[in-house]
Structures are given as structure tokens and as C-alpha cells.
Amino acid sequence: MIRWVLVATALGLAGCAAAPRGPAGSVAVTPVEWGQEGGGPTRASRTDRAVPPRWDLRKIVRLTDEPGYHPEGYASPVVLAGTAFVGHEGRSFDAVRLADGKVLWRFPTRGRVYSTAAWTGEVLVFGDDAGWVYALSPEGRKVWEFMTTYPVVAGVLSDGQRAYVAVADGNVFCLEASTGRPLWQYGRRFPRSRSVWRGHGLALGDGRVYAGFWDGTVVALDPEVGRVIWRAELSGKGFRDVTAGPAFAGGRVYAGSLDGPVVALDAATGEVLWRAEVGAAAGIAVGAETLYLAGADGSVVALRRDNGAVVWRVRPGEGIATAPVLASGAVVVGFSDGPVVALDPATGAVQARYVPGPGLHSQPVVLDDTVVFLSDGSALHELGPD
């Protein structure tokens, strides 16, 4: 059953091209239901929340209104106290109240927004493909902005005090979260012959920032000063753009490439602990004993965390997969050619399925008995029990 189909356009939000409009008073920001890409700074993409046993479309909020135009939406929503905050190709970052689908405010950006925001505890930090980084209050007020060196298309990472921004030319910027003041910068030479796959990812764990790059390198950096602690050169055996991860859990860093492999690294030293010859298109969900990843051919694979052995492999979708999310009793993942599915973590069997139309590229968010995601075409979907 479709409960709501809402359209939020620039014409419907008078004055939004000049400044954000917000609700009267302050916006509640607790609880933090999904604070940044992967659900947290480790990028482990795991939650204890349960997926509803049956999916019905509860609402769609269309954030752009261009008939026949279905831009790819790579940014995932950040959800704070029932409000979803998400940017899109309409050059806007929007706040949507999930209870009724109302757009509370819209902040115009200079470029398209593919970057998932990070909630620092005070501000939402995200970037656009014009190379700008913005920090907004929950009411949509701009607190600061910062110009980087290249498009920002990867999700921003935050530990509360600092915001870490990966830029598509191989630079990583560390900014003071409250002011936007640059603290340090780390860069790798940009290989012009290589394609960039949403920039590169970042993760935090054991007092280090882990960054993956398009040359197959994973680097551990000191979060205070940006000093290189270790560097793992993984490109010599077909390991190309680090498209999945890094993700941190239990003293290990996991990362993968579109064409393979997926590797487990010792978080303290960068030593390769195991290597699995499977490809991964986006993030890695980390369970207690199993990793879940998805490829560019509609496949989803489960690997043992201790040695990388394949537990199961299924193909429930078509096209390039989103980063999966491990919820209580289900692995949730979407595909660029549809659908969104919930899989049994033990077997890979399909438990629930929904086809959003144009497909999706952004990681779904699992809340209490609901699943929220931005589909291609800049439409925010909410699935849940009827």
C-alpha cells in the first residue's frame, strides 16, 4: 500500500534558492538513528534493528521534479530523531520529516551532492561535486564551508571533534568539526589513466583513520596530524580502485576492489591476513563471524571473517550493488537496476523484495521496523509494515 507520494520542488518551497527554510524552533537531534555512512565511524554497516518481515511502500518523497530524468543518487540519508537529511543531484541538501514526508528545509549547494553527510554531534558535514564542504545545523543554517581541491563524492567521516573528507583527486582533508578549520591534509598522486569510483572511502578504529585509494593502496593515518602509520600496497595482483571499505572491526581492516580481491589487514601493522578472490562494488557489512559484500553483477557474497572462505553466493539483483547493511536477521542491499532485498544472513535466501523503479546506488538505512533509502531520480522511499 502506498501511503504517501509527495513532491518537493523548488517552486513548492518559496525562497529556497536563496536560503534554507526551516521549521519554527529547534529540530530534535536525538536519538541518532543513523549518523553517517555505514552507520558509524568504523563503517561496519551493522545494526541491531530488525527488518520488517513484509515490505510495503509507506511513502515516497520526490526531492526533484524533472519528468524523464533519473539522476543517480549516491548519498544515503542521515536520520536524527525521525528526520532524514540527504543531498542529491538537484544541487540541494534537504531535511525530510519521516512521519509525514514533509520537507522541513532545503539548502542549495553549488554542485551535485553524492556525499553522505556525517553528524558530528553539532553539525551535519557533507560535500558536493564542485569541491565544497558544508556544515549545517539541524535547522538548515550554514555554520561553515570549506573549499577542497576536487569533487567530494565519498561520504564524510567524523569522530565528533574532526571531520575527515576524501576528495576524488586522492587528497584527504581533516577539518575541525566546529569551525571547518583545516588541521591536516594527506594526498596521493592522482592516476589520470584510472577511473574514479566515488572517490575513496574512510574508516576509523583503534585510534587511526584508514583510507582506501584507486591505486589499490590502503593507508593508516594518525587522526591528530595525518602522519602515515602504515601503508599496504595491494595493487600488484589486479587489486585496483578500493571500491568497498575500508571497514574496521575487531582489530582488522577489510577492503575490496570491484574486480577483486577482498582483503583483511591487521589494523596495527597493515599486514595482509587473508585474500579472497571476489569483487566488491561498495561497502562491506561486518558480522560477528561473517562479512557481507556485493558486486557489480547483481551478486551478494558472504565470507568467513577468519579466513575469507566463501560461505554463500547469490544473485538476487541486477546491476551494481549498493553497500549492504547487516540488520538483526537480515542483510539489506539494493541494486542500480533494482530491486532492494533482505537476505537471510545464514543462507542468502530472499526474505523480502521491493522494486523502486529506477533502482538505487545509495546504501539503505535500517531504522525501527522501517527501511529508508534514496533511489535514483532523487526520491526518498520508506518501506515498512502495512
Side-chain angles (χ1 to χ4, degrees):
M1 175 185 295
I2 300 178
R3 295 186 176 179
W4 299 92
V5 178
L6 304 174
V7 178
T9 68
L11 294 176
L13 294 170
C16 70
R21 296 186 65 190
S26 54
V27 175
V29 293
T30 55
V32 178
E33 294 160 294
W34 195 264
Q36 54 189 299
E37 191 169 276
T42 64
R43 297 292 201 254
S45 297
R46 181 179 181 181
T47 177
D48 292 331
R49 299 186 182 97
V51 172
R54 178 181 172 184
W55 285 357
D56 288 298
L57 178 59
R58 302 181 70 178
K59 66 176 69 70
I60 303 175
V61 183
R62 303 193 187 280
L63 301 177
T64 60
D65 186 24
E66 299 181 54
Y69 177 53
H70 298 294
E72 295 178 349
Y74 284 95
S76 294
V78 165
V79 183
L80 310 175
T83 299
F85 302 87
V86 66
H88 51 84
E89 274 208 348
R91 290 183 171 86
S92 180
F93 186 86
D94 302 347
V96 180
R97 188 166 58 204
L98 293 177
D100 57 7
K102 180 180 180 180
V103 177
L104 301 178
W105 51 259
R106 167 173 282 177
F107 180 87
T109 57
R110 296 175 177 86
R112 298 176 179 87
V113 182
Y114 302 109
S115 166
T116 300
W119 171 244
T120 69
E122 295 181 351
V123 292
L124 294 147
V125 183
F126 66 96
D128 67 17
D129 71 352
W132 286 89
V133 180
Y134 308 88
L136 305 182
S137 73
E139 294 78 28
R141 177 179 58 86
K142 184 175 71 176
V143 178
W144 55 260
E145 61 182 23
F146 177 80
M147 179 63 180
T148 68
T149 54
Y150 218 65
V152 180
V153 290
V156 174
L157 178 74
S158 179
D159 59 8
Q161 296 179 323
R162 294 171 288 265
Y164 305 93
V165 182
V167 184
D169 65 353
N171 279 296
V172 177
F173 290 87
C174 176
L175 309 176
E176 187 174 58
S178 59
T179 67
R181 179 173 63 94
L183 302 176
W184 54 261
Q185 177 181 346
Y186 171 82
R188 296 188 62 77
R189 181 172 297 178
F190 182 67
R192 297 290 177 182
S193 62
R194 293 180 180 268
S195 61
V196 175
W197 187 275
R198 270 202 81 202
H200 43 268
L202 301 170
L204 275 167
D206 277 357
R208 298 175 176 87
V209 176
Y210 306 99
F213 297 91
W214 18 244
D215 61 355
T217 301
V218 178
V219 177
L221 304 170
D222 185 323
E224 298 281 349
V225 296
R227 175 180 59 86
V228 175
I229 299 171
W230 54 255
R231 180 171 53 245
E233 304 286 352
L234 306 172
S235 59
K237 297 182 180 179
F239 194 110
R240 302 192 310 189
D241 306 35
V242 178
T243 54
F248 171 85
R252 293 186 175 188
V253 176
Y254 302 97
S257 169
L258 183 64
D259 296 325
V262 172
V263 298
L265 305 171
D266 186 302
T269 65
E271 176 189 358
V272 177
L273 302 176
W274 56 253
R275 181 185 186 98
E277 297 301 328
V278 297
I284 298 172
V286 185
E289 298 180 353
T290 311
L291 303 178
Y292 302 92
L293 47 105
D297 59 354
S299 65
V300 181
V301 181
L303 303 178
R304 287 180 50 172
R305 276 185 61 179
D306 58 351
N307 60 16
V310 174
V311 178
W312 52 255
R313 187 196 306 258
V314 297
R315 190 178 178 186
E318 297 290 338
I320 301 170
T322 71
V325 177
L326 176 61
S328 177
V331 178
V332 181
V333 62
F335 299 89
S336 61
D337 297 330
V340 184
V341 296
L343 306 177
D344 185 322
T347 67
V350 176
Q351 298 175 327
R353 178 184 178 95
Y354 167 74
V355 180
L360 68 156
H361 288 79
S362 66
Q363 183 181 47
V365 172
V366 178
L367 305 176
D368 289 327
D369 219 23
T370 61
V371 176
V372 178
F373 62 89
L374 184 73
S375 72
D376 294 348
S378 300
L380 191 68
H381 296 244
E382 182 184 6
L383 308 178
D386 187 9

